[in-house]
Amino acid sequence: MFSNRKIILIIVLLITLSITAYVLIVYIPTKVAQRSYEGAKQIGRDFKEAFQFTPEVTVNNTVVLQQQTPILELATISQKFQHQYIWNSTWLKSTKKITVTGTFEAKAGFDLNQKFSIRINDDKAIVTLPHPQLLSIESLRDVKSKDENGLWNWVNPEDRSNAMNAFITDARRYAEQAEFVKQAQQSFEAKIKEIMKLHGKEVTIEYTDTEKINLP
């Protein structure tokens, strides 16, 4: 027969084991998860402060934050450049020419209609985002043109309109071939790594043709 003291000791032992099991199995993992979720939310807040949008943030396959943005495009670089285009047309060996010059501002960055996500597992973060692209080029309204008439092939208003359209098309072609998109990518990657370093995360960045999303 067990004595009362032994019964009390067994009860105390069982209670201690139960408490220990609860702490190890429930309490500690819950606290760790809460800290991870709070850290993820802070990462979302840091992105919103830096870029005016919040990416989707996932911790151990659990979505902590949904992607939210008040803007449709994120321009990470804005670059001005001078451009010149020479339009010409020849008729009966008489050539007319229009030289157009002006300044453009090119913006390169990311389409936020596409999915942007951060997957966090322990101290690692995988950032998945769409490929950067040229978002826009805009004339700064300092465009000048110079007409050169041929002997019997003179410049007319339709020629000037055609020259202007070709000038803008050629400026876009130049911007697409320039380093603007690459610079936008480098700038954004540097900022991502800076944010993640503050949270002690090792970052892997992946570019993909992600699906379109329905933003609120």
Side-chain angles (χ1 to χ4, degrees):
M1 297 292 294
F2 288 109
S3 66
N4 290 337
R5 176 174 292 184
K6 287 182 178 180
I7 292 173
I8 292 171
L9 287 174
I10 290 171
I11 293 172
V12 170
L13 179 60
L14 290 173
I15 292 172
T16 302
L17 290 173
S18 297
I19 293 173
T20 301
Y22 174 81
V23 169
L24 293 176
I25 297 173
V26 178
Y27 182 78
I28 291 178
T30 299
K31 286 298 181 182
V32 170
Q34 287 176 348
R35 284 197 294 271
S36 297
Y37 296 158
E38 285 304 315
K41 290 177 182 178
Q42 184 58 53
I43 289 174
R45 288 191 287 268
D46 289 347
F47 266 83
K48 185 174 183 180
E49 181 178 349
F51 304 115
Q52 288 74 58
F53 86 100
T54 302
E56 179 183 283
V57 182
T58 303
V59 178
N60 297 325
N61 298 319
T62 299
V63 177
V64 178
L65 289 174
Q66 296 284 352
Q67 183 171 337
Q68 299 177 12
T69 176
I71 56 178
L72 299 180
E73 295 176 333
L74 172 64
T76 58
I77 186 170
S78 178
Q79 181 69 51
K80 295 177 182 178
F81 65 96
Q82 294 282 334
H83 194 66
Q84 175 178 286
Y85 181 79
I86 298 175
W87 179 92
N88 60 67
S89 177
T90 301
W91 179 64
L92 296 177
K93 296 185 179 182
S94 176
T95 299
K96 55 186 173 182
K97 181 189 300 183
I98 302 174
T99 301
V100 188
T101 59
T103 306
F104 286 87
E105 182 176 27
K107 293 183 179 180
F110 301 88
D111 177 4
L112 294 183
N113 284 302
Q114 297 183 1
K115 189 173 182 180
F116 187 118
S117 66
I118 302 173
R119 304 193 307 276
I120 298 174
N121 290 292
D122 299 325
D123 293 331
K124 298 184 182 297
I126 300 175
V127 179
T128 303
L129 64 161
H131 293 283
Q133 60 185 323
L134 182 68
L135 298 175
S136 66
I137 65 164
E138 181 181 357
S139 172
L140 298 186
R141 299 183 181 180
D142 62 345
V143 177
K144 296 179 181 178
S145 64
K146 179 182 177 182
D147 298 347
E148 294 182 41
N149 292 311
L151 288 176
W152 51 78
N153 187 16
W154 290 8
V155 173
N156 59 50
E158 183 179 356
D159 294 332
R160 295 189 186 95
S161 177
N162 291 336
M164 183 60 63
N165 290 335
F167 169 65
I168 294 172
T169 299
D170 193 64
R172 172 170 283 278
R173 186 181 299 115
Y174 166 80
E176 289 172 344
Q177 295 173 352
E179 295 288 303
F180 303 146
V181 172
K182 183 178 179 180
Q183 291 169 9
Q185 177 178 333
Q186 292 173 341
S187 173
F188 195 51
E189 285 187 1
K191 189 61 179 179
I192 288 174
K193 291 176 181 177
E194 179 183 330
I195 291 174
M196 290 304 183
K197 185 177 180 180
L198 294 174
H199 294 273
K201 304 297 181 186
E202 180 182 338
V203 184
T204 299
I205 299 176
E206 298 177 346
Y207 293 93
T208 181
D209 294 320
T210 57
E211 71 270 22
K212 292 284 185 178
I213 60 173
N214 295 320
L215 295 172

